[in-house]
Amino acid sequence: MQTDTTDLEETSILIAHPSERLLGGAMLPYWSLVIPVLGLLAIGLGLPDLGWGGSAAAATIMIGCVLAAVHHAEVVAHRVGEPFGTLVLAVAVTVIEVSLIVSLMLSGGGEAATLARDTVFAAIMIILNGIVGVCLLSGGVRHHEQQFVLQGVNAALCVLSAMAVLVLVLPNFTSSVAGPVYSPSQLAFTAIVSLVLYCTFVLIQTVRHRDYFLPGGTEHLPEEVHAAPPGNIQSWFAFALLVVALVGVVLLAKQLSPTLEAAVLGAGLPLTLVGIMIAALVLGPESLAAVKAARRNRLQTSLNLALGSALATIGLTIPTVAILSIWMDWKLSLGIDAKSMTLLALSLIVSALSLGTGRTTILPGVVHIVIFLAYLFTTIVP
């Protein structure tokens, strides 16, 4: 299969103008170095607090940080190779997402008890329907039919289904404590099994059955994919900038949240929409990286990113928040309502069907996007 000029432009991770070479041959564009620093400056100056103009500037810088994070994650991923590369962005984003949730819970507020639940559920719906749907649709439009390794996707969906039900559904049906909450012992058990499931999945993905998660058909991919990986200095520098960019995304999102909250309430919309918007911003780097991979006909990489980030969201976020809630004696409400349980069940069933053959077209992509739109619509119009 011939590769057109557009494919070559989109996949040239390591090609850059000589003026962009840094650190002994490291090829990092200047914009990817400057924007993360601007993000830290915007945070330090409190730019989102300087009126609507400051908020607009902060939002622009935050979008730039998302793009920079994607670029640096691709450099690091190319260095470490698959499937380890797809873990880099997922774990980095999830660690900072945990920090954001914990900081918001420490600040208190009437909705602190449901913050972890709302964030995790929003992230699952965004990933499982929004990101996966766009990847399947964009890849199908460009390549008609795409393939992936069925065993790896089935393993991820199996673990994700167990995690999601144990964390978000089962608390509604336990009786030790009234309400959609776990008792301390139940919460500790759920945190442990979630972490065990995630660690087992990572072991399968990176060691015992690594071939289940490797992209196939690399002979048809552009030459840049087969290019020599970057050196250690460049890779560590890119990793540091990745962390800085992600910190900028999360902290700017946190500072922008009061402005978003005021705008949402002023428009007469439900406050839960703010959580969805923040989750979407935090997941921006993973979303862009996954869609770009699908357009390059690397659907396996897209699904590794999407499903891996969903697993990391539960497997790392919930244990951390659970330990802190037990230690700090916080009330943690994890059970989702009936409408959310219905949408979660529909998402898991459709995912198992649409990703159950190892081949995809635009049709399952459209179905996932419709479910995601239904989730957004029923959030706005409950």
Side-chain angles (χ1 to χ4, degrees), residues 12-29:
S12 62
I13 296 173
L14 298 174
I15 291 179
H17 191 272
S19 64
E20 296 174 340
R21 294 172 181 264
L22 303 172
L23 299 177
M27 305 173 200
L28 298 174

Side-chain angles (χ1 to χ4, degrees), residues 3 10 12 14 65 67 73 110 129 161 237 331 370:
T3 327
E10 288 184 355
S12 62
L14 298 174
C65 287
L67 298 175
N129 293 306
S161 299
F237 195 66
K331 180 182 179 182
V370 166

Side-chain angles (χ1 to χ4, degrees), residues 257-283:
S257 59
T259 303
L260 290 174
E261 181 177 337
V264 168
L265 292 177
L269 299 173
L271 197 57
T272 53
L273 191 61
V274 175
I276 296 176
M277 296 169 67
I278 297 299
L281 291 173
V282 172
L283 291 170

Side-chain angles (χ1 to χ4, degrees), residues 188-210:
F189 174 80
T190 303
I192 292 171
V193 296
S194 297
L195 187 60
V196 167
L197 285 173
Y198 180 70
C199 291
T200 305
F201 174 79
V202 171
L203 175 67
I204 294 298
Q205 184 182 29
T206 58
V207 181
R208 293 186 65 87
H209 298 285
R210 185 171 174 236

Side-chain angles (χ1 to χ4, degrees), residues 100-293:
L100 177 60
I101 293 174
V102 171
S103 64
L104 291 175
M105 292 187 72
L106 285 171
S107 64
E111 299 185 356
T114 61
L115 181 61
R117 177 197 68 188
D118 294 341
T119 303
V120 169
F121 181 65
I124 290 175
M125 296 303 293
I126 290 170
I127 293 167
L128 208 55
N129 293 306
I131 298 177
V132 170
V134 172
C135 287
L136 298 185
L137 180 59
S138 61
V141 166
R142 190 162 193 175
H143 303 286
H144 298 285
E145 184 179 80
Q146 293 184 292
Q147 302 180 30
F148 55 89
V149 181
L150 185 60
Q151 293 94 325
V153 172
N154 279 344
L157 287 176
C158 175
V159 177
L160 180 60
S161 299
M163 279 184 172
V165 172
L166 289 174
V167 171
L168 299 175
V169 177
L170 188 59
N172 292 320
F173 302 99
T174 56
S175 56
S176 297
V177 180
V181 298
Y182 275 136
S183 67
S185 60
Q186 292 171 336
L187 185 59
F189 174 80
T190 303
I192 292 171
V193 296
S194 297
L195 187 60
V196 167
L197 285 173
Y198 180 70
C199 291
T200 305
F201 174 79
V202 171
L203 175 67
I204 294 298
Q205 184 182 29
T206 58
V207 181
R208 293 186 65 87
H209 298 285
R210 185 171 174 236
D211 55 310
Y212 289 175
F213 303 89
L214 294 176
T218 55
E219 67 275 5
H220 300 309
L221 295 176
E223 293 181 359
E224 286 82 354
V225 174
H226 302 284
N232 288 332
I233 296 178
Q234 179 189 2
S235 300
W236 280 110
F237 195 66
F239 179 76
L241 288 170
L242 167 63
V243 174
V244 172
L246 291 174
V247 169
V249 171
V250 174
L251 295 184
L252 283 174
K254 180 183 177 181
Q255 290 187 355
L256 284 169
S257 59
T259 303
L260 290 174
E261 181 177 337
V264 168
L265 292 177
L269 299 173
L271 197 57
T272 53
L273 191 61
V274 175
I276 296 176
M277 296 169 67
I278 297 299
L281 291 173
V282 172
L283 291 170
E286 292 166 299
S287 305
L288 289 179
V291 173
K292 286 175 68 177

